[in-house]
C-alpha cells in the first residue's frame, strides 16, 4: 500500500478563511450545502491549478479509481460513516482544521443492529459507559459487606431494584447521546441520520441520498459475535445484557475476555448466580461488509472482516480511510480517539500522523479490576530475553478491617540490561486509576531506578509500585553471546 | 557498662575504627525514620541499637510506641477512619443505582475504634519483628544523649542504661501543638481524636492544615455537625490556591460549616458541652474541640543543649543535606528535623542516612517533586509546583491546563461534586512543573503521575500517552485546551 505523498487542501486563500471564520459556530452547515460547497470546491480546485503542479493534479486523478477524471465538486472534504468514538473524533477535529465534514449514523437504540446504532457509538451507548455504571451499581454490594468491618450495620440487607438502575442508566445514555450531537453541531459537522453505504471512492449513499466527498472515513465499529450452535437464538450478547428488563437470577456467561469477566462481576455483585465458561478468545467481528459496499468499491478486508489499513489508517482505496473497532487494531475507545485524531491531522493539517500503539494502557473492570501497560512477562521474555520481575502481593489496608479476602497483586517487568520498565500490571481495587499515571512513565521509557527515586504517596496502594526493592525472579534467557556488558548496554540504551 | 570514648570533633574514618563502641549506631525513636535507618544500617552490617517509649495510642512526653506516629496515631488510623466515614456518602449514592437501604443506618463507632486499635497493635508487633529480624537490638524507655557518642536509656522501672555508639540518630518525631488559650485543657488533639470513646454529635475543629481538614471530613462523614475554623481565607495554606478553593467548596458541599479568618479565643465548660468563643465574638457549643494547629518537634527532653546539638527556632534539630547535625557523630531524620513531615520522606531520609554512613555511598535525600495527599472527602493530591510557585520559579510563561467535571459515578448518584484536575506547564521546556487533583482516588492516581513528573516528563509526553477508559485519571493525558497562560512574574503573590 503506497503512501502517496500529498498535501491536504489548505485554507490559505484569505477569502476562504474569512468565509469560514464568519460562520457562526453553533449553526450547523446546511445539509445540501450546495451553495457553500460551490464556493469551496472551485476555490480549492483553483488553488490546485494555480499553485500546484502536475504532481498534484496527477495525484488527484490517481485518487479516483476510475482513471483520468477532472477535479470534482465535493459536497464535503470528509464524509464519515459511523458517529462513534473514532468517527466523532476524526470529524470534529477535521472540522476544527477547516474541513467541511458530514457524518452519518444509524438511529439510536440500546441494542445495535444493521439498522440501529446511535450517536456516541458503542462506547457511549453499549460499551464503556453503561458497563462502568453497572460496575458501580454492582460494587455496592461488596462495599456494604466491607462497611460492616468499619462499624456500619444494616437493619435489613440492602436490596437492589433493577428497574431503577436501568431507568437511570438509560436516562444518562440519552443525555450523553445528546451531548455528542451538540459536540458535532458545535464543531460545524453535518449530522445525517441513516445508513451509509459507499458507492464509489468518493460517493456515499445514505438511505438513497448521494453525497460526494474528497475523503470517506469508515468508522462503523464492531458488534458482538454469537457462535453458531444449536439454540444460539436463546443467547444474548452484551448489548442486551446492558439493557435487560429484569435481573436474571442465574446467568451463564460464555467467554474469557474482558467483557465476559466484567459481566460476571456485574451480575455477581447484583446477586445473580453466575457461571462462566471459558474457551479460546475470538476476534470481535466487524460490520457486515456486504451491506457497506466495501467489496464493490475495492476496500480490502482480512478474514475476520476487519478493514485493512496502513499506518495512517488508509484502506486499499486511496480516498477511503478507516478507524476504530472496524479495523480491529486495538479495540479501545482512547485508541479510536487517537486514530481519529491522527487521521484528522493527516488529512487536514498537513501533518501526516501515525497513531502510536506502543505502551497503550488498558483495564478490565472485573471486580476487583485489572490495569496494565506495556509488555506481559511472557512478551518481555520473548523480546528481551533477560528480565527482572518484581511483584507485590498484599492485603490492602481496607481489607484488614473489613475482614474480606481482598488482595492486591502488582508486577513490574524490567529489562535486566537497561533497567527500563517494560511492563506494569496490577489486579486490585483502583487498578485502572492507578495505572494511568504509570503509563505516562512507561511510555516515556523510564527505568526502575526512576520509579524507585519517586517518593511514595502514603497511605495508598499505588505507592507499592515505587517501593519494590527485590526482584521476585530474574529470568535470563538471552544467549550468552548476545548479552552485552553493563557498559555496552548502557551505551546502547543511550544512558 | 559502656566505656566512654571521646572522639575528635572531626570524625575521621581511621580514628573511629580504633575506638570500641557498644553500637555502631544508636537510634532514639522507632518511628518511620528511625526504624528504616536502623534496619537498613543493620543490613549493611552495622551493630544497631534502638530505643522507644512504651506503646499507647495517645502519646505524651514519655509514651509512644514502636511504629511511631504514622502507624499508631497518624497515617494508618487516620486512613481507617476516613474509610469508615466515606461509607456514609457511598451508601447515600447507592440509592440512585437502585439500592434500597434503610433511612436509619446504624453506625457503631466503638466497633470501628476497636478494629482500628487491633490494627495498630498488629502493626506495632510487625514493626518490632522487622527490627529483630534485621538484628537490631530494641530497648524500651526514654532515650537521652549524654555525649557525642553516648546515650542513656531510662527504663520503665527507672533504671538507666548507658551505651556508647559511633553514631547517634535522633528520630523522635513530633507531637501535636496545643493553643495556649484559656480553657485549652478542654480541647483534644489528633491523638485523642483517633481514640475517642464516643462519636461527637457536634465537633469544632480549629486549624487549616491537612489534619484539621481530614478530621472535619471524618466526623462529618459519620453524621456529626462540624464547624471548621481557620485563620486564612482558605484552608491548606501552601497548596495551590485554586485547589484550596476546590477543597473548601467540597467541604461545604458535604455540610461542613467553614469559618475562615476566624480564631478561637476561649473554651468554657458548660453542662451542655464546651462553649467555644471566637475572635469575632461568636459562640458555639460543642461536644469536642479539636486543636489541629500544628505539630512541634520532640527535641526538648533529649538533653541536646548540654551536648551542643543546634536547634532552629521551632525546636527542630538542625541538619545538613546528609541529615547530620552540627555534632559530627549525631544525626537526625524525620519530623524532629521538620523538613517535609511525611512518612515516605522520613523513610527516604532514613535510607539515605544508612547508605551514607554504613553503605559507603554518600546519599542526599531529594526533596523535589514529592507527591502528597490530603485525605479529605473527596481527597486532594499534588506533586510538583503549585501554580503560584511555578509562576514564581519559571523563567518564562506558564501554561495552566484544568479539567473540571462531574465524575461518572455522580451522573447516576446525583451527587453534586465536581472533580478538578490541573497541570502546570513551563512554556519554554514544555515540562510539567506541577500536577494536582481534587476528587475520588486522587492520591492513588497521583503516584504514577509523580514518577513521570520527577523525571521531567513534558506535556507532550503526557498527551502521547493513551488514556484508560473510563477513568478519572485519563483526564490527565487528555487536557488539550489551555485554561490560562500566565506571563513570567505575572500574578501578584496571594495571601489567602
Amino acid at each position: 500500500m503506497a503512501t502517496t505523498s500529498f498535501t491536504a487542501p489548505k485554507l490559505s486563500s484569505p477569502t476562504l478563511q474569512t468565509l469560514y471564520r464568519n460562520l457562526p459556530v453553533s449553526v450547523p452547515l446546511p445539509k445540501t450545502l450546495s451553495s457553500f460547497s460551490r464556493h469551496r470546491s472551485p476555490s480549492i480546485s483553483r488553488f490546485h491549478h494555480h499553485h500546484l503542479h502536475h504532481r498534484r493534479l496527477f495525484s488527484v486523478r490517481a485518487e479516483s479509481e476510475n482513471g483520468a477524471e477532472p477535479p470534482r465538486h465535493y459536497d464535503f472534504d470528509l464524509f464519515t460513516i459511523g458517529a462513534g468514538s473514532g468517527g466523532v473524533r476524526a470529524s470534529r477535529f477535521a472540522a476544527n482544521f477547516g474541513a467541511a465534514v458530514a457524518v452519518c449514523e444509524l438511529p439510536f437504540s440500546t441494542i445495535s443492529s444493521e439498522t440501529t446504532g446511535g450517536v456516541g457509538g458503542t462506547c457511549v451507548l453499549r460499551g464503556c459507559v453503561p458497563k462502568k455504571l453497572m460496575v458501580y451499581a454492582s460494587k455496592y454490594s461488596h462495599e456494604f459487606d466491607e462497611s460492616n468491618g468499619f462499624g456500619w450495620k444494616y437493619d435489613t440487607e440492602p436490596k437492589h431494584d433493577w428497574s431503577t438502575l436501568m431507568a437511570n442508566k438509560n436516562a444518562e445514555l440519552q443525555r450523553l447521546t445528546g451531548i455528542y450531537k451538540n459536540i458535532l453541531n458545535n464543531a460545524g459537522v453535518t449530522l445525517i441520520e441513516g445508513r451509509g453505504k459507499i458507492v464509489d471512492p468518493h460517493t456515499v449513499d445514505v438511505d438513497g441520498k448521494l453525497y460526494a466527498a474528497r475523503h470517506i472515513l469508515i468508522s462503523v465499529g464492531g458488534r458482538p459475535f454469537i457462535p453458531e450452535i444449536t439454540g444460539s437464538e436463546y443467547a444474548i450478547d452484551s448489548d442486551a445484557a446492558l439493557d435487560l428488563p429484569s435481573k436474571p437470577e442465574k446467568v451463564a456467561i460464555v467467554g474469557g475476555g474482558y467483557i465476559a469477566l466484567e459481566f460476571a462481576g456485574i451480575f455477581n455483585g447484583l446477586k445473580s448466580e453466575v457461571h462462566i465458561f471459558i474457551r479460546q478468545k475470538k476476534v470481535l467481528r466487524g460490520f457486515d461488509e456486504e451491506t457497506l459496499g466495501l467489496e464493490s468499491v475495492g476496500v480490502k478486508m482480512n478474514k475476520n472482516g476487519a478493514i485493512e489499513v496502513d499506518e495512517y489508517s488508509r484502506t486499499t482505496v486511496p480516498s477511503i480511510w478507516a478507524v476504530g473497532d472496524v479495523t480491529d487494531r486495538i479495540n479501545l475507545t482512547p485508541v479510536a480517539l487517537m486514530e481519529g485524531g491522527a487521521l484528522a491531522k493527516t488529512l487536514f493539517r498537513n501533518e501526516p500522523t501515525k497513531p502510536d500503539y506502543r505502551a497503550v494502557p488498558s483495564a478490565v473492570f472485573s471486580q476487583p479490576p485489572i490495569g496494565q501497560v506495556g509488555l506481559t512477562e511472557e512478551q518481555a521474555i520473548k523480546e528481551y530475553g533477560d528480565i527482572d520481575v518484581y511483584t507485590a502481593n498484599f492485603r490492602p489496608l481496607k481489607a484488614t478491617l473489613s475482614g474480606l479476602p481482598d488482595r492486591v497483586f502488582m508486577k513490574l517487568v524490567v529489562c535486566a540490561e537497561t533497567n527500563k520498565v517494560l511492563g506494569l500490571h496490577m489486579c486490585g481495587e483502583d487498578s485502572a486509576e492507578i495505572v494511568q499515571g504509570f503509563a505516562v512513565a512507561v511510555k516515556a521509557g523510564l527505568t526502575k531506578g526512576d520509579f524507585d527515586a519517586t517518593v511514595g504517596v502514603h497511605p495508598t496502594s499505588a505507592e507499592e509500585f515505587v517501593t519494590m526493592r527485590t526482584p521476585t525472579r530474574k529470568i535470563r534467557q538471552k544467549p550468552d553471546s548476545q548479552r552485552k556488558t553493563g557498559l555496552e548496554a548502557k551505551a546502547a540504551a543511550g544512558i | 557498662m559502656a566505656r566512654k570514648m571521646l572522639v575528635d570533633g572531626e570524625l575521621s574514618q581511621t580514628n573511629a575504627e580504633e575506638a570500641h563502641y557498644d553500637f555502631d549506631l544508636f537510634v532514639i525513636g522507632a518511628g518511620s525514620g528511625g526504624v528504616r535507618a536502623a534496619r537498613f544500617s543493620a543490613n549493611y552490617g552495622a551493630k544497631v541499637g534502638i530505643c522507644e517509649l512504651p506503646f499507647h495510642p495517645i502519646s505524651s512526653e514519655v509514651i509512644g510506641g514502636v511504629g511511631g506516629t504514622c502507624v499508631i496515631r497518624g497515617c494508618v488510623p487516620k486512613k481507617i477512619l476516613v474509610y469508615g466515614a466515606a461509607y456514609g456518602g457511598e451508601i447515600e449514592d447507592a440509592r440512585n443505582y437502585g439500592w434500597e437501604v434503610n433511612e436509619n443506618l446504624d453506625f457503631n463507632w466503638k466497633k470501628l475504634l476497636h478494629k482500628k486499635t487491633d490494627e495498630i497493635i498488629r502493626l506495632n508487633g510487625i514493626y518490632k519483628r522487622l527490627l529483630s529480624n534485621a538484628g537490631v537490638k530494641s530497648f524500651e524507655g526514654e532515650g537521652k544523649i549524654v555525649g557525642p557518642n553516648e546515650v542513656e536509656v531510662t527504663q520503665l522501672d527507672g533504671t538507666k542504661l548507658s551505651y556508647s555508639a559511633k553514631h547517634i540518630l535522633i528520630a523522635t518525631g513530633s507531637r501535636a501543638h496545643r493553643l495556649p488559650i484559656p480553657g485549652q485543657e478542654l480541647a483534644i488533639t489528633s491523638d485523642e481524636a483517633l481514640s475517642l470513646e464516643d462519636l461527637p454529635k457536634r465537633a469544632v475543629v480549629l486549624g487549616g492544615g491537612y489534619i484539621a481538614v481530614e478530621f472535619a471530613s471524618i466526623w462529618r462523614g459519620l453524621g456529626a455537625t462540624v464547624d471548621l475554623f481557620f485563620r486564612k481565607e482558605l484552608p491548606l495554606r501552601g497548596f495551590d490556591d485554586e485547589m484550596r478553593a476546590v477543597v473548601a467548596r467540597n467541604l461545604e458541599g458535604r455540610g461542613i460549616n467553614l469559618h475562615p479568618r476566624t480564631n478561637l479565643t476561649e473554651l468554657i465548660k458548660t453542662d451542655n458541652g464546651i462553649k467555644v468563643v471566637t475572635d469575632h465574638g461568636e459562640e458555639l457549643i460543642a461536644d469536642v474541640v479539636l486543636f489541629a494547629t500544628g505539630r512541634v518537634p520532640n527535641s526538648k527532653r533529649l538533653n541536646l543543649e548540654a551536648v551542643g546539638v543546634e536547634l532552629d527556632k521551632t525546636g527542630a534539630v538542625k541538619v545538613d543535606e546528609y541529615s547530620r547535625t552540627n555534632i559530627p557523630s549525631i544525626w537526625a531524620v524525620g519530623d524532629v528535623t521538620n523538613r517535609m513531615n511525611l512518612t515516605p520522606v522520613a523513610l527516604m531520609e532514613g535510607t539515605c542516612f544508612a547508605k551514607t554512613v554504613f553503605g559507603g555511598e554518600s546519599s542526599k535525600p531529594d526533596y523535589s517533586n514529592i507527591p502528597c495527599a490530603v485525605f479529605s472527602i473527596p481527597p486532594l493530591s499534588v506533586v510538583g509546583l503549585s501554580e503560584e510557585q511555578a509562576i514564581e520559579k519559571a523563567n518564562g510563561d506558564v501554561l495552566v491546563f484544568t479539567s473540571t467535571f462531574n465524575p461518572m459515578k455522580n451522573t447516576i448518584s446525583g451527587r453534586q461534586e465536581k472533580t478538578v484536575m490541573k497541570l502546570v506547564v513551563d512554556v519554554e521546556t514544555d515540562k510539567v512543573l506541577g500536577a494536582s487533583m481534587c476528587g475520588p482516588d486522587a492520591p492513588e492516581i497521583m503516584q504514577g503521575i509523580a514518577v513521570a513528573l520527577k523525571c521531567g516528563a513534558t506535556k507532550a509526553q503526557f498527551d502521547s500517552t493513551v488514556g484508560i477508559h473510563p477513568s478519572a485519571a485519563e483526564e490527565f493525558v487528555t487536557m488539550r485546551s489551555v485554561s490560562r497562560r500566565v506571563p513570567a512574574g505575572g500574578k501578584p503573590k496571594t495571601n489567602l
Side-chain angles (χ1 to χ4, degrees):
Chain A
M1 178 68 230
T3 43
T4 20
S5 131
F6 70 101
T7 44
K10 278 202 243 194
L11 292 185
S12 52
S13 143
T15 333
L16 207 54
Q17 283 180 328
T18 323
L19 190 68
Y20 194 76
R21 243 184 270 127
N22 288 342
L23 250 184
V25 166
S26 55
V27 172
L29 295 176
K31 272 189 187 180
T32 50
L33 264 209
S34 37
S35 48
F36 184 55
S37 64
R38 272 198 280 274
H39 284 255
R40 296 192 73 154
S41 328
S43 308
I44 290 169
S45 319
R46 269 205 300 277
F47 176 69
H48 284 173
H49 282 157
H50 293 173
H51 298 282
L52 289 172
H53 343 294
H54 259 308
R55 209 163 70 140
R56 169 51 64 93
L57 285 173
F58 178 74
S59 64
V60 167
R61 254 182 249 131
E63 276 169 17
S64 42
E65 288 255 293
N66 307 331
E69 222 183 86
R72 288 172 59 170
H73 297 298
Y74 294 119
D75 296 313
F76 299 101
D77 295 307
L78 173 68
F79 197 104
T80 302
I81 306 177
S85 302
V88 171
R89 173 56 59 99
S91 302
R92 282 176 57 202
F93 278 36
N96 288 340
F97 296 150
V101 184
V103 61
C104 72
E105 176 56 58
L106 299 168
F108 168 91
S109 171
T110 52
I111 312 286
S112 69
S113 72
E114 300 199 343
T115 53
T116 53
V119 176
T122 300
C123 169
V124 172
L125 304 175
R126 54 193 88 77
C128 321
V129 173
K131 169 270 286 294
K132 191 86 191 273
L133 294 175
M134 302 280 284
V135 169
Y136 279 139
S138 56
K139 267 181 75 184
Y140 283 110
S141 61
H142 184 72
E143 284 174 40
F144 294 139
D145 282 345
E146 267 180 350
S147 69
N148 288 328
F150 286 86
W152 292 88
K153 211 165 71 168
Y154 307 88
D155 273 348
T156 46
E157 199 176 312
K159 278 204 193 58
H160 187 256
D161 177 56
W162 184 268
S163 55
T164 302
L165 175 59
M166 282 301 121
N168 290 346
K169 182 265 297 175
N170 285 334
E172 177 61 9
L173 298 190
Q174 287 292 350
R175 186 184 77 90
L176 289 170
T177 196
I179 286 176
Y180 268 70
K181 286 181 179 166
N182 286 338
I183 287 176
L184 287 170
N185 251 351
N186 292 342
V189 174
T190 302
L191 178 57
I192 302 165
E193 188 174 84
R195 174 112 157 267
K197 182 175 167 147
I198 300 179
V199 173
D200 70 39
H202 293 280
T203 312
V204 179
D205 170 329
V206 183
D207 293 345
K209 205 158 179 169
L210 295 180
Y211 301 90
R214 179 179 311 282
H215 301 283
I216 297 172
L217 173 61
I218 306 171
S219 50
V220 297
R223 279 218 325 277
F225 167 72
I226 297 190
E228 280 169 30
I229 59 170
T230 314
S232 64
E233 66 270 23
Y234 301 117
I236 60 167
D237 58 21
S238 56
D239 285 10
L242 288 167
D243 203 35
L244 289 170
S246 61
K247 186 187 92 171
E249 288 306 318
K250 234 168 153 175
V251 185
I253 299 177
V254 180
Y258 75 92
I259 297 177
L261 290 183
E262 288 173 357
F263 275 107
I266 289 169
F267 287 118
N268 183 54
L270 295 174
K271 307 295 184 192
S272 303
E273 186 184 316
V274 180
H275 299 262
I276 185 166
F277 298 84
I278 302 168
R279 53 181 197 142
Q280 271 184 321
K281 214 159 64 120
K282 283 262 175 164
V283 166
L284 286 179
R285 225 195 314 132
F287 206 87
D288 189 311
E289 53 268 25
E290 192 189 328
T291 57
L292 198 55
L294 297 181
E295 224 170 64
S296 61
V297 86
V299 170
K300 194 152 173 269
M301 282 160 295
N302 69 19
K303 57 181 165 63
N304 290 326
I307 296 180
E308 277 189 17
V309 288
D310 69 7
E311 294 171 301
Y312 294 92
S313 300
R314 190 182 223 162
T315 69
T316 44
V317 177
S319 63
I320 303 180
W321 311 74
V323 297
D325 286 7
V326 75
T327 61
D328 198 24
R329 284 172 285 187
I330 297 184
N331 298 334
L332 296 167
T333 286
V335 173
L337 297 177
M338 169 174 67
E339 292 169 351
L343 182 64
K345 267 192 184 159
T346 299
L347 292 184
F348 301 111
R349 254 280 197 84
N350 199 19
E351 271 173 52
T353 308
K354 289 190 250 191
D356 182 355
Y357 295 94
R358 293 170 305 160
V360 171
S362 66
V364 176
F365 290 92
S366 43
Q367 294 174 44
I370 295 168
Q372 68 80 33
V373 62
L375 306 177
T376 62
E377 186 174 337
E378 299 73 36
Q379 290 166 335
I381 294 171
K382 252 202 198 132
E383 213 176 304
Y384 290 85
D386 292 350
I387 59 160
D388 294 332
V389 179
Y390 296 79
T391 57
N393 186 335
F394 60 94
R395 201 116 181 267
L397 180 59
K398 217 181 210 182
T400 62
L401 257 87
S402 71
L404 296 172
D406 303 325
R407 292 195 76 88
V408 175
F409 182 76
M410 291 158 116
K411 183 164 165 178
L412 285 181
V413 178
V414 179
C415 175
E417 212 175 86
T418 59
N419 211 226
K420 264 197 190 165
V421 176
L422 303 172
L424 180 148
H425 308 265
M426 173 175 177
C427 179
E429 184 101 19
D430 304 323
S431 295
E433 300 287 1
I434 290 172
V435 171
Q436 179 72 83
F438 288 104
V440 181
V442 170
K443 180 88 189 254
L446 298 183
T447 63
K448 177 70 168 52
D450 294 325
F451 273 58
D452 295 344
T454 305
V455 176
V457 181
H458 184 72
T460 61
S461 291
E463 61 181 309
E464 292 298 310
F465 269 128
V466 299
T467 50
M468 290 183 176
R469 276 196 303 275
T470 346
T472 306
R473 52 185 167 273
K474 291 184 172 192
I475 295 164
R476 299 290 181 265
Q477 285 196 15
K478 214 181 214 172
D480 282 320
S481 54
Q482 277 182 43
R483 196 169 290 138
K484 297 194 183 78
T485 64
L487 287 172
E488 286 173 340
K490 283 190 172 151
I495 298 168
Chain B
M1 185 50 205
R3 226 180 297 149
K4 284 185 199 169
M5 293 291 291
L6 286 175
V7 181
D8 300 326
E10 293 290 288
L11 187 74
S12 69
Q13 278 291 84
T14 45
N15 279 356
E17 269 151 25
E18 290 163 19
H20 167 76
Y21 298 101
D22 297 319
F23 294 101
D24 296 309
L25 170 68
F26 199 96
V27 182
I28 305 180
S32 301
V35 170
R36 173 54 63 94
R39 288 175 53 214
F40 277 35
S41 301
N43 288 341
Y44 285 128
K47 185 167 181 216
V48 183
I50 189 168
C51 71
E52 175 56 57
L53 298 168
F55 170 94
H56 192 278
I58 298 177
S59 70
S60 75
E61 291 189 328
V62 291
I63 296 180
V66 175
T69 300
C70 170
V71 167
I72 303 170
R73 57 192 86 76
C75 323
V76 173
K78 169 268 288 293
K79 189 86 191 272
I80 289 172
L81 291 190
V82 170
Y83 278 141
Y87 284 109
E90 290 294 317
I91 293 165
E92 256 173 60
D93 291 351
R95 295 201 164 93
N96 277 333
Y97 277 93
W99 288 95
E100 292 162 354
V101 192
N102 274 36
E103 278 303 325
N104 302 324
L105 280 170
D106 189 24
F107 174 70
N108 185 342
W109 169 255
K110 283 187 169 36
K111 179 171 183 181
L112 178 57
L113 222 53
H114 186 72
K115 300 201 86 174
K116 181 265 310 179
T117 306
D118 281 350
E119 178 62 7
I120 69 179
I121 289 173
R122 186 183 78 89
L123 290 170
N124 166 254
I126 287 176
Y127 269 68
K128 285 184 176 158
R129 270 198 304 284
L130 281 174
L131 287 168
S132 63
N133 288 346
V136 173
K137 189 136 204 303
S138 294
F139 300 93
E140 189 172 69
E142 190 180 0
K144 202 146 93 163
I145 302 182
V146 174
N149 297 93
E150 189 167 346
V151 294
E152 186 185 81
V153 179
T154 304
Q155 299 187 288
L156 300 189
D157 60 3
T159 56
K160 294 186 197 291
L161 302 171
S162 266
Y163 296 103
S164 63
K166 192 152 123 205
H167 301 279
I168 298 171
L169 177 66
I170 304 168
T172 49
S174 63
R175 273 212 334 277
H177 166 257
R178 301 180 70 92
L179 200 65
I181 58 172
Q184 59 85 22
E185 65 279 3
L186 299 169
I188 60 168
T189 68
S190 56
D191 283 15
E192 290 84 13
L194 290 166
S195 289
L196 283 177
E197 271 295 309
D198 299 297
L199 187 60
K201 289 203 177 60
R202 304 160 296 182
V204 160
V205 180
L206 174 65
Y210 75 91
I211 297 177
V213 164
E214 287 174 358
F215 275 104
S217 286
I218 289 168
W219 283 326
R220 182 62 196 146
L222 296 173
T225 301
V226 180
D227 284 81
L228 177 64
F229 295 84
F230 44 92
R231 287 179 303 180
K232 294 287 177 180
E233 184 62 41
L234 293 168
L236 301 179
R237 183 167 60 99
F239 282 86
D240 182 287
D241 285 343
E242 186 175 13
M243 301 310 287
R244 292 166 71 194
V246 174
V247 171
R249 215 167 34 238
N250 285 344
L251 294 174
E252 282 181 320
R254 293 268 175 164
I256 295 167
N257 302 313
L258 299 188
H259 304 266
R261 288 174 269 102
T262 312
N263 210 339
L264 301 187
T265 53
E266 193 177 357
L267 305 178
I268 302 162
K269 188 166 182 170
T270 75
D271 290 329
N272 244 359
I274 304 169
K275 181 150 79 172
V276 174
V277 184
T278 79
D279 61 357
H280 293 175
E282 293 154 330
E283 287 179 3
L284 279 125
I285 305 282
D287 303 306
V288 153
V289 176
L290 171 67
F291 280 165
T293 48
R295 294 175 63 83
V296 287
N298 286 330
S299 54
K300 287 200 195 71
R301 292 167 66 100
L302 293 165
N303 193 37
L304 297 180
E305 219 176 67
V307 182
V309 173
E310 276 170 21
L311 304 177
D312 72 17
K313 58 182 165 62
T314 69
V317 177
K318 272 164 114 168
V319 289
D320 68 8
E321 295 170 300
Y322 295 92
S323 299
R324 190 181 224 166
T325 69
N326 58 309
I327 308 291
S329 60
I330 303 180
W331 312 69
V333 296
D335 287 9
V336 76
T337 61
N338 200 24
R339 284 170 288 185
M340 277 190 78
N341 299 332
L342 298 164
T343 287
V345 174
L347 296 176
M348 169 176 66
E349 291 168 353
T351 303
C352 288
F353 161 81
K355 241 193 206 163
T356 298
V357 179
F358 300 107
E361 221 185 292
S362 285
S363 307
K364 286 190 257 191
D366 180 359
Y367 295 91
S368 65
N369 297 311
I370 291 181
C372 70
V374 174
F375 288 90
S376 44
I377 299 170
L380 167 73
S381 191
V382 306
V383 64
L385 306 178
S386 66
E387 184 176 339
E388 295 74 41
Q389 288 168 334
I391 293 167
E392 224 181 313
K393 296 198 173 138
N395 280 329
D397 295 359
V398 159
L399 292 177
V400 179
F401 295 82
T402 47
S403 178
T404 302
F405 59 94
N406 203 15
M408 192 195 259
K409 205 178 198 183
N410 292 358
T411 61
I412 298 276
S413 73
R415 182 172 288 282
Q416 301 296 320
E417 196 170 74
K418 292 221 160 88
T419 290
V420 179
M421 294 163 80
K422 182 167 170 173
L423 288 179
V424 178
V425 178
D426 181 318
V427 169
E428 255 171 42
T429 59
D430 199 37
K431 280 203 178 152
V432 178
L433 300 174
S436 48
M437 171 175 179
C438 183
D441 304 321
E444 297 286 0
I445 292 171
M446 201 56 65
Q447 182 70 84
I449 303 282
V451 179
L453 216 102
K454 176 106 193 198
C455 298
T458 60
K459 178 70 168 48
Q461 283 175 309
F462 269 66
D463 294 345
S464 76
T465 305
V466 178
I468 292 180
H469 184 71
S471 70
E474 62 180 309
E475 292 294 308
F476 269 129
V477 299
T478 51
M479 291 191 181
R480 274 194 310 275
S481 354
V482 182
S483 298
R484 54 187 165 276
R485 181 181 181 127
V486 187
K491 251 159 60 166
K493 200 162 178 217
T494 60
N495 191 26
L496 295 175

